[in-house]
Amino acid sequence: MSNRRDFIKALGLSGVALTVPVAVTEAATVTPAANNTDITNLTLKGRVQSNGQGIANVPVTDGINITLTDKNGNYQLLSNKTVKFVYITIPAGYAIPHNKGIAQFYKVVDSKQNSFTANFQLERLEQDDKHHIFVVWADPQIISKKDGQALIERSAPDLRELAANYPAGTLIHAIGCGDLVWDHFELYEDYRQAVSVTGVPFFNIIGNHDMDIDARTDDYSATTFKDNFGPTYYSFNRGNIHYIMLDDVFFIGTAKKYIGYLTEPQLQWLEQDLKHVPQGSTVVLSLHIPTNTGAKRRNKDKEDELGGVVSNREQLYKILTPYKVHIMSGHTHMNEKWENGNIMEHVHGTVCGAWWTGPICSDGTPEGYAVYEVQGNDISWFHKSTGKPKDYQLKIYPKGYLKNAPDEIIANVWNWDKQWKVQWFEDGALKGDMEQRIELDPWAVELYAGDQLPKKHKWVDPTLTDHLFFAKPSASAKSIKVIATDRFGKQYTQEIQL
């Protein structure tokens, strides 16, 4: 088993013992709030409006139950004094309210009285939002001011430039897909600054490195995250798409141990939420830990790592059965996709690459983020490598770069899924499809393999991936070209001279 996999498993639930550096384990001590056990009735009420006009049928929730606003935009919800927030599902056709890029769809409940009034002001969009863009930032995972500066000075301007290159007025939002920091909550300010630089409104979800590790139970492990970003599960609409954000990081109450698990209150809330979404709709559901990956298959493990996938994922899939679903996740620091029936999961390579130790993730995916272009009910996508043009979608290695394949050229097509086609040309002549195999990316081996590499985090290792392609050129070959065609028919080309 690789050093990196040992490290990841030790942070999730496993039998592997590991001494985690002090810098990793520092986090705020959390004590349960005094009113968390007060189940006295509390009435939540208010109005959702735009320019003085009430907005009807807007879902309003306390995280337990959901009610809809009436024809005048008014709502009333019987709750209790244990709840922290009252929040809305932003309806399609309205701008995303935000504070310097952090989405503001919630109010903190003051439970001193027996009723609490929360009004929500929304701004109607002038343009149709059925066409819009969203991006996914997975695992910024900043552990130092230096990492924070990289996010602020490198990643954030890249997203700002991407947004500016779309036609004026294009609607764009972002999803911060967890591990926004690496246990150092003082660095949330750096994350906020990066978000502000992008000029794009962000919806954020909690990752395992956003948890209060001194909490006595999972119920309190999100206290600091909530203080900074609001609820850990919620939804919103844009155009025809219903977006859902969930918390699947379940803290088991000791050190940094967690499992991928969705609690019953969340699943009950989700069932209520989807009652207001027409069956057959496209749903984009985001969470930090992937619901599933190919890691067990690639590594030939007997069981999934409990901290690596969602244990009760089948129950989630049942709830999602009536919809066309795209799941957005991170956590693994590598890029992969899988499809089954009505569900496609996009496991994202990271903004930080391999924990800010090099320009690529452990599978050779360049540090960066995913871009999704929405047209009505349909979504297309590409990986945007930080500092690279949009059409940078593959890398070719000459033969001799990988010990396991000394006579073959290798192409890493990091955003590949089973509907891509990867072909190769030798000296201009089409030779056919390349062979897809599970292997290690050659550059990742060079950067991360061995006990002394990389210098910053020596436990980082290259990881096996499905998106490598092989071909054996002839001895006389002078040039090799690879054309990768994605599922949308777009072609990407790279060429090397031998």
Side-chain angles (χ1 to χ4, degrees):
M1 185 179 290
S2 71
N3 293 337
R4 175 186 176 270
R5 289 183 64 217
D6 284 344
F7 181 82
I8 294 297
K9 287 181 72 174
L11 295 187
L13 182 64
S14 77
V16 179
L18 181 78
T19 303
V20 182
V22 173
V24 176
T25 59
E26 291 175 359
T29 301
V30 175
T31 346
N35 70 343
N36 273 100
T37 56
D38 186 352
I39 58 170
T40 305
N41 282 352
L42 173 68
T43 300
L44 303 172
K45 58 184 179 180
R47 192 169 190 236
V48 182
Q49 58 186 355
S50 178
N51 291 326
Q53 297 294 311
I55 308 171
N57 297 316
V58 177
V60 184
T61 184
D62 58 357
I64 304 167
N65 292 307
I66 299 174
T67 189
L68 298 178
T69 56
D70 65 18
K71 64 180 181 181
N72 298 312
N74 297 310
Y75 72 90
Q76 185 165 307
L77 180 63
L78 181 61
S79 186
N80 66 65
K81 293 188 177 182
T82 65
V83 302
K84 185 175 178 70
F85 303 107
V86 56
Y87 50 104
I88 64 172
T89 295
I90 301 170
Y94 291 87
I96 296 167
H98 64 89
N99 178 17
K100 296 181 180 178
I102 304 297
Q104 301 291 303
F105 54 92
Y106 61 93
K107 307 283 186 182
V108 178
V109 172
D110 181 352
S111 57
K112 292 186 182 70
Q113 306 299 320
N114 291 328
S115 70
F116 177 72
T117 300
N119 298 316
F120 294 88
Q121 302 283 341
L122 295 176
E123 180 185 339
R124 181 175 283 281
L125 292 168
E126 295 181 2
Q127 69 267 56
D128 186 349
D129 60 355
K130 290 185 179 63
H131 308 311
H132 64 269
I133 311 295
F134 71 95
V135 306
V136 176
W137 266 18
D139 301 76
Q141 201 148 344
I142 49 180
I143 198 173
S144 65
K145 295 296 288 186
K146 186 176 181 181
D147 291 352
Q149 285 305 111
L151 190 71
I152 293 164
E153 296 174 0
R154 209 160 70 219
S155 310
D158 193 273
L159 175 51
R160 182 180 62 204
E161 183 180 346
L162 175 102
N165 284 332
Y166 281 100
T170 297
L171 296 169
I172 181 168
H173 67 271
I175 294 166
C177 209
D179 282 2
L180 310 181
V181 296
W182 189 348
D183 303 316
H184 284 256
F185 298 139
E186 72 276 10
L187 295 173
Y188 275 143
E189 187 52 43
D190 297 67
Y191 175 76
R192 287 175 174 276
Q193 188 178 340
V195 165
S196 179
V197 167
T198 69
V200 174
F202 270 68
F203 293 90
N204 299 288
I205 55 179
I206 189 169
N208 51 290
H209 286 292
D210 300 309
M211 297 190 302
D212 297 289
I213 61 175
D214 291 334
R216 73 183 189 188
T217 62
D218 179 67
D219 300 81
Y220 299 112
S221 65
T223 300
T224 303
F225 179 90
K226 289 177 178 178
D227 289 344
N228 280 275
F229 303 107
T232 58
Y233 57 93
Y234 55 96
S235 65
F236 63 96
N237 294 293
R238 175 142 277 193
N240 294 349
I241 310 297
H242 184 64
Y243 292 88
I244 299 166
M245 319 291 269
L246 296 180
D247 168 11
D248 66 348
V249 182
F250 190 90
F251 175 62
I252 66 163
T254 176
K256 285 295 297 176
K257 305 288 187 177
Y258 58 88
I259 62 174
Y261 180 79
L262 292 164
T263 60
E264 180 61 24
Q266 276 191 93
L267 294 179
Q268 288 188 21
W269 174 88
L270 177 61
E271 288 175 321
Q272 293 180 71
D273 176 76
L274 288 172
K275 285 179 180 176
H276 308 298
V277 180
Q279 294 191 3
S281 299
T282 299
V283 169
V284 171
L285 185 146
S286 299
L287 30 66
H288 178 64
I289 295 176
T291 66
N292 205 1
T293 72
K296 184 176 81 169
R297 167 181 52 80
R298 286 190 296 271
N299 297 316
K300 299 180 180 178
D301 293 334
K302 291 182 179 179
E303 295 181 352
D304 285 310
E305 294 176 15
L306 287 174
V309 295
V310 176
S311 300
N312 58 339
R313 58 184 175 271
E314 294 298 335
Q315 302 306 317
L316 174 65
Y317 300 158
K318 286 178 184 176
I319 295 171
L320 297 171
T321 298
Y323 304 95
K324 181 182 177 182
V325 182
H326 291 271
I327 298 176
M328 307 287 153
S329 58
H331 186 58
T332 66
H333 290 246
M334 57 185 294
N335 224 43
E336 71 174 296
K337 297 177 180 11
W338 62 264
E339 275 182 280
N340 187 19
N342 66 314
I343 295 175
M344 181 171 192
E345 181 156 12
H346 308 253
V347 185
H348 293 85
T350 61
V351 177
C352 72
W355 294 266
W356 301 109
T357 62
I360 58 174
C361 299
S362 58
D363 65 338
T365 301
E367 69 174 50
Y369 50 96
V371 182
Y372 296 84
E373 300 178 337
V374 179
Q375 301 283 335
N377 297 310
D378 299 323
I379 304 176
S380 59
W381 54 85
F382 61 91
H383 179 84
K384 175 63 177 70
S385 302
T386 303
K388 300 283 188 181
K390 286 167 59 174
D391 62 357
Y392 180 63
Q393 297 295 326
L394 69 151
K395 180 178 177 64
I396 308 175
Y397 298 97
K399 60 184 181 180
Y401 263 65
L402 195 65
K403 289 181 180 177
N404 294 352
D407 300 323
E408 295 177 284
I409 55 121
I410 304 166
N412 190 333
V413 187
W414 39 82
N415 219 31
W416 173 83
D417 61 59
K418 288 183 178 179
Q419 292 194 30
W420 282 61
K421 190 176 185 66
V422 183
Q423 298 177 302
W424 70 293
F425 296 74
E426 180 181 295
D427 297 332
L430 175 63
K431 306 296 286 186
D433 294 344
M434 298 185 75
E435 179 189 352
Q436 182 255 331
R437 294 208 302 265
I438 297 170
E439 255 299 353
L440 299 173
D441 174 78
W443 195 14
V445 171
E446 184 180 311
L447 292 173
Y448 308 135
D451 293 340
Q452 298 306 309
L453 292 175
K455 189 174 290 186
K456 182 175 179 179
H457 298 306
K458 293 182 174 60
W459 44 263
V460 172
D461 266 345
T463 32
L464 292 171
T465 178
D466 293 317
H467 50 69
L468 292 178
F469 296 82
F470 295 77
K472 187 177 289 188
S474 63
S476 61
K478 293 182 173 57
S479 70
I480 298 293
K481 180 171 70 174
V482 175
I483 297 180
T485 306
D486 71 14
R487 62 194 289 138
F488 311 109
K490 186 165 178 56
Q491 292 189 337
Y492 304 100
T493 303
Q494 283 280 304
E495 188 167 359
I496 60 169
Q497 303 300 314
L498 300 180

